[in-house]
Amino acid sequence: MAYFDAASAAPLHPVARQALLASLDEGWADPARLYREGRRARMLLDAAREAAAEAVGCRADELTFVSSGTRAVHVGVAGALAGRRRAGRHLIVSAVEHSSVLHSAEDWEAAGGAVTTVPVDRAGSVAVEGYEAAVRPDTALACLQSASHEVGTEQPVEQVAEVCRAAGVPLLVDAAQSLGWSAVPGPWSLLAASAHKWGGPSGVGLLAVRKGVRFAVQGPVDERESGRAAGFENLPAIVAAAASLRAVRAEADQEAVRLRELTERIRVRVPQLVTDVEVVGDPVRRLPGVVTFSCLYADGETLLHELDRAGFSVSSGSSCTSSTLTPSHVLRAMGVLSEGNVRVSLPFGTPAEEVDRFLSVLPGAVAAVREKLGAPVPVTVAVVGAGDSLVVDALGKRCPIPVIELAKVIGDVAVGATVRVLSDDEAARLDIPAWCEMRGQEYVGEEPADQGSAFLVRRLS
């Protein structure tokens, strides 16, 4: 089985396994105690903190170990906003932040705070000018991920951090996806990360708060971890997390070159092997091991099952894999195709042969899914009208059926005429405009309908 979902969780690094087993014997005592076993545990904890801080690029006394990357974000956002409550109640986030950041923003807004969301371009990147324009006199905090967990696009963190520093606004960086590759540049103020993203054990997060940043811990304060993480430290996991971070960093430069070559092979070959595919994310400013693409007329969940049966573990941001039938907020913000979405994220050490095998399997998997969905042959469609315009009733039909039915009837109207697609699927709002851009047709817009919405498409060719 080829595991291609390292962006969700990387396999445990051998160094992490060794450190974990060793520290189970040596680091079981309370590091707050003064007797011999406690002092030994404290030495392990201090050494882990020093190693992690060196990798992050901060002082050891600025770094706190918490229970996860999500917890690090929640604590960091809440503490920074509370610490700067006199400055104002305005928060800035990007449209493609991890859900932990967006959930924090939702809570802040529900409590009476103001939130500005900075949009991204079609490659998933924010404009530095977008943050510059969003900063206000009452801005308390800005947040920006270092790189996208879904499409791999790297963000201009250093430039945004400079903008924030000039305005006197702290910047919190979610570095979960990039920290295993390199330290985050620029004068950021807070940083969050998660060990399972770089091959450490799950259940360990990092929160760095640089000196001079106003920060007020929310909730009951514990004497451990500067009051920012209550409870007994999971010392064996912390030691393993720090050891694996140091180990992957030592390999990162060389491995990045190799994985970039493999992901570029996927980016180039997939559109050659499979018709009607959109490769998404920035082609240059991207993480080494992540590549994402979407396939027209394919159900994301079914496609993932097909690839799983062929021996490949991949993930998807497609609405078809969600019980809510709502496309990924990242793909939606980018305005790209969501149906049949596949994210390949290669872990350290992925053999080139596995990538070649994936490319040989993918065309058959996509063809099988499309055939199951009826894409190659007409399906029953309620059509009213002929020649100059058509109405396609796709109500009650889910991703990617509305787009499949649109594609089958576009040739039945004259050039310049329109097709009106009725749909109550949230994914249609994203996928029909994306289909138009891919197929050279004009997306006229959306209109209200008795049920759902009507999406108008004009035939150009």
Side-chain angles (χ1 to χ4, degrees):
M1 191 76 180
Y3 181 76
F4 284 2
D5 195 20
S8 293
L12 192 66
H13 194 282
V15 169
R17 185 182 301 277
Q18 294 167 6
L20 183 64
L21 293 175
S23 56
L24 284 172
D25 293 330
E26 297 294 327
W28 51 268
D30 186 347
R33 301 306 175 196
L34 299 179
Y35 42 71
R36 182 177 57 189
E37 293 85 356
R39 294 196 305 273
R40 184 184 301 129
R42 168 56 65 180
M43 289 174 61
L44 289 172
L45 179 59
D46 290 345
R49 198 185 311 277
E50 288 282 354
E54 181 181 2
V56 168
C58 67
R59 292 169 34 161
D61 60 355
E62 295 173 331
L63 189 137
T64 300
F65 292 110
V66 296
S67 58
S68 68
T70 293
R71 182 62 181 159
V73 167
H74 290 170
V75 172
V77 171
L81 288 171
R84 283 180 47 82
R85 58 188 177 276
R86 292 183 179 178
R89 294 179 57 79
H90 179 229
L91 171 66
I92 302 172
V93 300
S94 85
V96 293
E97 293 300 309
H98 186 267
S99 58
S100 60
V101 174
L102 299 185
H103 291 160
S104 294
E106 290 170 3
D107 283 353
W108 180 245
E109 200 165 27
V115 178
T116 294
T117 302
V118 178
V120 297
D121 60 21
R122 197 170 175 83
S125 181
V126 302
V128 178
E129 295 77 12
Y131 271 78
E132 196 167 22
V135 171
R136 308 186 327 203
D138 64 337
T139 300
L141 178 67
C143 300
L144 179 62
Q145 63 185 193
S146 55
S148 171
H149 58 289
E150 285 202 29
V151 300
T153 297
E154 294 178 326
Q155 300 291 359
V157 173
E158 186 172 9
Q159 295 90 330
V160 170
E162 291 288 357
V163 166
C164 290
R165 181 172 66 172
V169 174
L171 176 69
L172 183 149
V173 178
D174 172 12
Q177 289 297 333
S178 71
L179 192 61
W181 296 106
S182 64
V184 177
W188 50 265
S189 302
L190 303 97
L191 181 144
S194 188
H196 73 278
K197 301 289 188 178
W198 65 68
S202 58
V204 179
L206 307 180
L207 173 62
V209 181
R210 281 183 162 156
K211 296 295 183 184
V213 176
R214 292 187 178 276
F215 193 92
V217 177
Q218 299 301 285
V221 177
D222 194 283
E223 68 274 10
R224 298 176 187 271
E225 294 299 308
S226 304
R228 295 170 188 164
F232 200 99
E233 297 92 346
N234 184 353
L235 187 54
I238 287 172
V239 170
S244 58
L245 180 55
R246 174 176 283 181
V248 298
R249 278 290 191 82
E251 308 164 0
D253 289 345
Q254 183 176 354
E255 186 66 1
V257 172
R258 200 181 67 84
L259 290 187
R260 284 189 190 280
E261 292 176 352
L262 295 180
T263 52
E264 185 61 21
R265 186 181 306 178
I266 297 172
R267 288 181 62 85
V268 171
R269 291 289 290 150
V270 165
Q272 297 172 349
L273 296 169
V274 181
T275 59
D276 298 314
V277 165
E278 182 177 14
V279 181
V280 301
D282 194 292
V284 178
R285 291 178 56 88
R286 58 184 305 99
L287 292 169
V290 179
V291 57
T292 304
F293 55 89
S294 299
C295 306
L296 269 176
Y297 320 133
D299 177 315
E301 184 171 3
T302 306
L303 182 53
L304 262 59
H305 287 321
E306 286 287 337
L307 291 170
D308 183 48
R309 280 193 288 270
F312 293 95
S313 301
V314 298
S315 64
S316 173
S318 172
S319 60
C320 310
T321 63
S322 169
S323 59
T324 64
L325 297 173
T326 301
S328 148
H329 72 276
V330 174
L331 300 178
R332 189 167 62 244
M334 294 168 63
V336 297
L337 183 69
S338 74
E339 64 186 52
N341 179 261
V342 174
R343 180 188 67 185
V344 174
S345 48
L346 306 177
F348 274 55
T350 298
E353 295 76 17
E354 290 294 341
V355 171
D356 291 337
R357 188 168 71 86
F358 173 78
L359 292 171
S360 69
V361 164
L362 181 67
V366 175
V369 171
R370 286 173 172 171
E371 185 175 3
K372 287 178 182 178
L373 292 170
V377 294
V379 296
T380 302
V381 181
V383 177
V384 180
D388 292 334
S389 64
L390 284 174
V391 176
V392 175
D393 184 355
L395 293 169
K397 299 176 180 178
R398 299 304 177 195
C399 161
I401 300 302
V403 179
I404 289 176
E405 296 186 350
L406 166 63
K408 288 177 178 177
V409 303
I410 191 70
D412 295 342
V413 300
V415 173
T418 60
V419 175
R420 193 167 184 259
V421 182
L422 302 177
S423 177
D424 53 4
D425 181 13
E426 177 67 22
R429 185 168 286 111
L430 179 62
D431 289 345
I432 289 176
W435 177 88
C436 291
E437 181 163 333
M438 292 175 69
R439 303 310 294 266
Q441 309 298 343
E442 180 185 356
Y443 177 65
V444 179
E446 179 182 349
E447 295 179 349
D450 292 339
Q451 297 182 56
S453 298
F455 301 93
L456 271 65
V457 176
R458 180 175 287 111
R459 182 183 176 189
L460 299 182
S461 61

